[in-house]
Amino acid sequence: MTSPLSSAARSDLLARGYSRRSFGRIATLLAAGATVHALTKSAHAAILPSGINFEGMTRLGSNECWTGPFPEAAQAGASSVFQSNRYDPTGHMRDDLIKAASDVEGLPESHVMTWCGSSDPLARAIVTFCSPTRGLVTADPSYEAGWVAADWLKIPLARVPLSAKGGYRTDVRAMLAADPNAGVYYICSPNNPTGTLTPLRDIAWLVEHKPKGSVVLVDEAYIHFSEAPSAVELVAKNKDVVVLRTFSKMFAMAGMRLGLTFARSDLHEAMMRYDGKSATAMLPVPAMACGTMSLTMKSAIAARRQEMIAARNMTFQHLRKRGIHFIPSDANMFVIDWKKPAEPIKDAFLQQKVVIGRSWPVWPNASRITVGSMDEMKIFCTALDRIIA
Ligand SMILES: Cc1ncc(COP(=O)(O)O)c(C=O)c1O
């Protein structure tokens, strides 16, 4: 079977140390619409558990937003459905999205790229900047999509533990020491699952000390839930940084599929090498309409952040009262350490019609909890009191 990758893409991959045998795997990973989770049954099941009827359940398992898109933005998306017979009803919907992002972030439009969510550019950055000789370095626990991609493509992977001593912050110096010649240093800030931030000065240190030809990939899926400064500042200075953003969290558009990356145009062009143009150019019309408006809604973003913080604070207060150990978080998720295996506790919550998040292999006694609405978090606290008597 011939590879769906172009001959230029195949030559480039061979020159970078990939084998011919990896072409099929790379094409699968980057196929339009494919997410890395689909590659392994277990990862997919952990994220989207099958066989659960979500009817009547309190869903605190998948880091989705507890409510829908901002109503005005949702209205813009709904109206655009009627013109969705066209690929781009106005002829400049994608340009409008890029312009809105460039204005909000203070970046040139040349540094903004559009995607159907952020899973594709995450995988694509790993294919582009890693290889069998240039590895991937991440924290552990952290968002595992990169681990799945690295495993799939036989890319060396180094995972650097988050430790209590460092306040569960990503240790950038240990990351560089773990692989001084990596292709990608992935930093999720706030981190999934801990919600802990990596200070911008640490990210800047890594950017200054990392090896030539590598990038620091900063995943800011949850940045709007914190007030921390974005690594976009480093992109504006034309550093070797790619910032990932998704509309799946604060903007509550997980089911609409929209994402952005911010990077120097030569880095984006490198990511386009493996037939990436179609992944960036064709976007769902309602997602573009809803997302473009959402980006600019500063006060709605701040209000939603405050709503989440109030629900999180109430929950933390309850956990403190109960003497249950948790890691303080700057995002719409946090980790509870049950001090005993988490899996039976997760099942006990399911019996109470509450879906909580998964555990990471490195912390089998801990669960990730997504922050829902105030009412949902009260339901969570009541269920907890029944389970941990
Ligand atoms: C840290 C992080 N990055 C990326 C994603 C992927 O988001 P999407 O593909 O919906 O844009 C997620 C989803 O949960 C995430 O938690």
Side-chain angles (χ1 to χ4, degrees):
M1 197 180 88
T2 55
S3 164
L5 292 166
S6 69
S7 61
R10 281 181 276 152
S11 310
D12 182 86
L13 287 165
L14 286 175
R16 294 184 45 243
Y18 284 102
S19 67
R20 279 180 201 285
R21 266 174 305 157
S22 64
F23 292 165
R25 288 190 160 240
I26 289 170
T28 304
L29 181 66
L30 301 181
T35 73
V36 282
H37 310 309
L39 298 177
T40 62
K41 271 197 185 133
S42 58
H44 190 242
I47 286 156
L48 293 172
S50 57
I52 293 185
N53 178 1
F54 286 119
E55 199 77 30
M57 291 274 194
T58 299
R59 298 176 62 175
L60 309 176
S62 304
N63 280 1
E64 295 150 327
C65 192
W66 61 93
T67 187
F70 298 133
E72 300 90 325
Q75 192 54 57
S79 304
S80 78
V81 168
F82 296 100
Q83 288 120 46
S84 296
N85 53 315
R86 305 281 176 208
Y87 292 109
D88 182 341
T90 63
H92 47 76
M93 279 190 89
R94 182 168 170 268
D95 295 343
D96 290 347
L97 171 60
I98 291 173
K99 175 154 190 350
S102 127
D103 288 348
V104 167
E105 303 296 340
L107 277 177
E109 289 179 29
S110 58
H111 288 42
V112 180
M113 191 58 71
T114 57
W115 307 88
C116 294
S118 62
S119 296
D120 179 306
L122 201 171
R124 203 170 284 276
I126 289 171
V127 170
T128 305
F129 302 110
C130 291
S131 69
T133 58
R134 297 207 69 174
L136 168 68
V137 184
T138 79
D140 188 8
S142 190
Y143 186 54
E144 330 83 319
W147 303 349
V148 177
D151 180 53
W152 182 251
L153 299 177
K154 315 265 182 285
I155 287 168
L157 171 66
R159 292 187 285 206
V160 176
L162 294 179
S163 76
K165 222 172 94 199
Y168 299 102
R169 287 202 163 73
T170 305
D171 183 342
V172 291
R173 285 162 181 82
M175 284 178 77
L176 185 59
D179 185 349
N181 191 38
V184 171
Y185 297 87
Y186 170 85
I187 294 180
C188 186
S189 183
N191 186 44
N192 180 358
T194 51
T196 44
L197 286 162
T198 306
L200 194 52
R201 64 174 180 282
D202 286 0
I203 300 175
W205 180 90
L206 184 58
V207 171
E208 289 314 313
H209 292 85
K210 67 169 192 59
K212 216 167 163 257
S214 65
V215 299
V216 177
L217 181 62
V218 186
D219 191 337
E220 294 188 340
Y222 302 95
I223 192 86
H224 288 105
F225 288 110
S226 84
E227 284 178 284
S230 162
V232 158
E233 200 177 289
L234 301 170
V235 174
K237 290 180 183 155
N238 288 318
K239 303 288 183 185
D240 295 335
V241 173
V242 178
V243 171
L244 296 169
R245 290 277 182 88
T246 177
F247 288 71
S248 298
K249 309 301 175 184
M250 168 60 80
F251 300 134
M253 292 171 54
M256 265 199 260
R257 313 306 302 140
L258 195 65
L260 296 170
T261 48
F262 305 130
R264 249 180 12 235
S265 50
D266 62 296
L267 298 177
H268 275 147
E269 273 158 29
M271 288 167 67
M272 294 303 121
R273 264 192 232 133
Y274 311 114
D275 308 339
K277 287 229 163 68
S278 58
T280 71
M282 302 295 285
L283 301 168
V285 166
M288 284 193 280
C290 185
T292 303
M293 186 176 281
S294 300
L295 276 180
T296 62
M297 296 178 69
K298 235 177 138 180
S299 56
I301 292 170
R304 187 168 280 187
R305 176 166 56 235
Q306 286 314 318
E307 189 182 341
M308 185 282 295
I309 289 173
R312 194 180 62 197
N313 283 346
M314 183 280 295
T315 314
F316 284 179
Q317 234 172 346
H318 188 81
L319 294 175
R320 274 193 201 100
K321 227 169 37 202
R322 296 288 324 264
I324 292 170
H325 184 78
F326 64 93
I327 300 175
S329 157
D330 273 294
N332 64 326
M333 78 197 106
F334 59 93
V335 162
I336 292 185
D337 181 0
W338 304 109
K339 308 280 181 198
K340 56 185 174 183
E343 218 36 53
I345 296 177
K346 186 176 178 186
D347 291 343
F349 271 101
L350 264 187
Q351 295 297 316
Q352 301 286 325
K353 293 190 168 300
V354 176
V355 185
I356 65 166
R358 58 191 185 275
S359 304
W360 268 247
V362 72
W363 289 353
N365 289 353
S367 304
R368 186 191 70 192
I369 315 292
T370 303
V371 180
S373 67
M374 183 64 89
D375 284 348
E376 286 174 329
M377 296 320 285
K378 286 181 180 161
I379 292 171
F380 168 80
C381 291
T382 305
L384 178 114
D385 288 346
R386 288 198 188 116
I387 293 163
I388 316 279

